Amino acid sequence: MKLTDNLLKGLKPKTSSYRIYEKGVDKGFGVKVIPSGSISFFMQYATDGKQRFYNLGRYPSVSLSEARERCRSARLLVDQGVDPQQQEAPDNYGLVRDLFDYYTKKMREDGKSTWETVQKDLNTNCQDIMDMRANLVEPIHIRRILHKIITRGSEVQANRIRAYLLRAFKLGVYHDNDPVNLSSNVVFQLSTNPVEAIPKNTKAEMAGERNLSFSEIRILWHSADIAEQMHIATKLLLIYGCRLMELCGAEKSEFDFNAMIWTVPWERVKT
C-alpha cells in the first residue's frame, strides 16, 4: 500500500490506536492513527536487537513529502549505526503546548481577564502544532492554521489567532534569556518569531461607516421589542461605552442603586 494524501484524509479513528505501514522503498515508513483521529508519521527500525519507532511529525502539519524526507534522513543514521532518537534535542526543549501554557500564565500574572478565552482559542485552533517543538515551527505551519480558519469563513478569528500566536512566540524568544526563568525546566531555543512573516488580514476588520443617529438611539431606547434584561444591557452600553465582557459578567452586587454607581471589579476589566 502506498500512502497518499487522499488515503490519509480518509482514515477513520477506531477505539484503539492502529498503524499502517507503507510497502515501498522507505523501509519502516508508516502512519499511526489514535482514537481522537490524530494521524502521525513514524519510522520503525531496530537497534540493539529491539524494535523502535521514530516519530516523524503529525499530519497535516508535516506533509507526506516532508515525512518521507525525514524518514530517509533517519534511515541513513540507522544504517550508520546511529539511533536517530539519540540525535533528538534534550528532553527539556519546550513544545508548543508548553509555550501556550507559559503565555497564558503570564497573562494571568499580568491580570489579563481574557487569558481563559485565549487559552481555549489556541487549544482549539492550533492542535496541528501542539506537540511540535516550538523552535521547529515555521511560517508554513502558521499559514496552514490560519488558512483553515479563513476557509470556514472566520477571517476575524484568524486575525485573533495570529495575534495570540505572535505574542506567544515573542515571549518564547525572550524566555530563555530572562533571568527570572533561570531555574525553569523548559527551554524553547527560539531565535526568531515564525509569525512575524505572516501579514495581518487588514480587510477582515473594517471600521463601521457611521454612528447611530439620535433619532435611531431614541427608537432603540424606548423599544418594547427587546427582552428586558437585554434592553437594560443595551442602555448601559449606550451610556458607558463599556466592553461586552465587563457588562455581561456584571452582578447585582456591583451596583449601588442609591448612589447610582456601578463598580466593575478589576479582574473583569481588560486594561
Side-chain angles (χ1 to χ4, degrees):
M1 178 188 295
K2 183 174 178 60
L3 296 179
T4 64
D5 282 306
N6 285 337
L7 185 148
L8 294 177
K9 291 174 182 176
L11 292 177
K12 304 296 182 185
K14 298 180 181 179
T15 54
S16 58
S17 301
Y18 66 95
R19 299 180 188 271
I20 296 177
Y21 291 84
E22 180 178 76
K23 295 181 180 179
V25 296
D26 297 312
K27 184 180 177 182
F29 182 57
V31 292
K32 180 181 179 180
V33 184
I34 64 175
S36 68
S38 175
I39 301 171
S40 56
F41 297 102
F42 67 84
M43 182 190 76
Q44 184 178 357
Y45 65 103
T47 181
D48 296 329
K50 297 180 180 179
Q51 293 294 322
R52 303 195 69 184
F53 293 95
Y54 182 56
N55 185 4
L56 301 171
R58 181 183 290 183
Y59 182 79
S61 296
V62 174
S63 68
L64 182 54
S65 60
E66 287 175 305
R68 287 189 192 283
E69 289 300 319
R70 293 182 183 184
C71 177
R72 290 164 187 168
S73 298
R75 180 59 64 183
L76 285 175
L77 291 173
V78 172
D79 292 342
Q80 295 167 12
V82 178
D83 186 344
Q85 296 193 55
Q86 299 304 315
Q87 302 295 308
E88 295 265 311
D91 290 339
N92 66 335
Y93 270 33
L95 305 179
V96 172
R97 65 172 67 254
D98 299 317
L99 180 61
F100 290 169
D101 287 344
Y102 176 62
Y103 172 37
T104 52
K105 176 175 176 287
K106 291 287 288 182
M107 290 186 70
R108 292 199 305 273
E109 292 173 350
D110 293 341
K112 302 293 186 182
S113 59
T114 55
W115 71 267
E116 286 183 294
T117 299
V118 172
Q119 184 180 62
K120 180 180 178 181
D121 285 347
L122 288 173
N123 291 342
T124 300
N125 293 281
C126 303
Q127 280 296 318
D128 290 343
I129 63 171
M130 293 286 277
D131 294 319
M132 288 183 64
R133 281 194 355 233
N135 65 349
L136 294 181
V137 175
E138 299 178 0
I140 182 61
H141 299 111
I142 307 300
R143 292 207 308 269
R144 287 171 180 162
I145 288 171
L146 300 183
H147 178 71
K148 188 182 294 185
I149 300 171
I150 291 170
T151 52
R152 67 173 187 243
S154 302
E155 293 189 1
V156 173
Q157 177 71 349
N159 271 353
R160 296 284 186 274
I161 297 299
R162 177 193 172 277
Y164 300 157
L165 288 169
L166 184 68
R167 289 195 286 270
F169 277 94
K170 182 177 180 180
L171 273 176
V173 171
Y174 294 134
H175 173 276
D176 300 348
N177 296 315
D178 188 341
V180 174
N181 299 323
L182 192 60
S183 60
S184 174
N185 59 358
V186 171
V187 294
F188 294 111
Q189 289 291 301
L190 280 163
S191 57
T192 59
N193 188 333
V195 191
E196 287 181 345
I198 311 299
K200 178 181 178 180
N201 182 0
T202 56
K203 295 181 180 179
E205 301 177 75
M206 303 294 289
E209 295 181 356
R210 69 175 185 85
N211 301 318
L212 291 178
S213 66
F214 284 112
S215 59
E216 288 170 326
I217 291 175
R218 185 180 296 109
I219 293 171
L220 180 60
W221 191 272
H222 295 290
S223 174
D225 298 325
I226 305 175
E228 182 181 9
Q229 192 172 21
M230 186 63 70
H231 203 188
I232 294 172
T234 303
K235 289 180 177 181
L236 286 171
L237 280 174
L238 288 170
I239 294 171
Y240 298 114
C242 54
R243 296 179 182 276
L244 283 174
M245 66 180 182
E246 295 170 4
L247 174 62
C248 294
E251 298 182 2
K252 189 174 182 180
S253 59
E254 298 172 15
F255 295 88
D256 183 337
F257 295 103
N258 293 324
M260 297 297 286
I261 293 175
W262 172 24
T263 305
V264 184
W266 69 268
E267 61 267 20
R268 211 170 63 251
V269 179
K270 184 174 182 180
T271 54

